[in-house]
């Protein structure tokens, strides 16, 4: 029984500070693995790009490798949604996201 319970446990998300939003000391809140997204050029963001999921939700593209920075490119990304205390009071789009891995799909 204990083996079964341990095998069903989800990996903990390391709550390390992200360098993506240094002015707010963002921390990792949720791990995302192999999410299907489309890269979208978005001139207004610091990175110039955002990631749009199939449901239309946009994520920031912090740490997206240069080879994936092409408008309309379909990729899979892994990484972390980010949070900080004041985020709940902000109407922020795209959602803060730190890319740790990307591949073509």
């Amino acid at each position: 029984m204990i083996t079964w319970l341990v095998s069903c446990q989800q990996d903990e998300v390391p709550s390390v500070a992200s360098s993506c939003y240094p002015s707010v000391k963002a921390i990792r809140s949720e791990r995302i693995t192999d999410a299907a997204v489309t890269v979208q050029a978005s001139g207004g963001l610091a990175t110039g790009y955002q990631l749009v999921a199939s449901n239309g939700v946009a994520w920031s593209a912090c740490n997206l490798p240069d080879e994936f920075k092409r408008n309309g490119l379909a990729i899979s990304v892994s990484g972390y949604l980010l949070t900080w205390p004041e985020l709940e009071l902000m109407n922020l789009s795209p959602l803060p996201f730190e890319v740790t891995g990307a591949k073509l799909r």
Side-chain angles (χ1 to χ4, degrees), residues 46-91:
T47 64
Y49 294 89
Q50 61 185 1
L51 309 171
V52 181
S54 59
N55 64 0
V57 173
W59 300 341
S60 67
C62 179
N63 294 337
L64 183 66
D66 288 340
E67 63 265 25
F68 297 104
K69 292 180 179 178
R70 292 188 297 168
N71 194 41
L73 186 65
I75 63 174
S76 294
V77 293
S78 296
Y80 297 93
L81 289 173
L82 303 173
T83 191
W84 55 89
E86 297 82 11
L87 184 62
E88 293 178 18
L89 305 174
M90 301 170 81
N91 184 10

Side-chain angles (χ1 to χ4, degrees), residues 11-14 28-33 78-81 97:
D11 293 336
E12 283 189 34
V13 174
R28 294 172 171 171
S29 67
E30 183 180 338
R31 184 187 322 251
I32 304 293
T33 305
S78 296
Y80 297 93
L81 289 173
F97 184 75

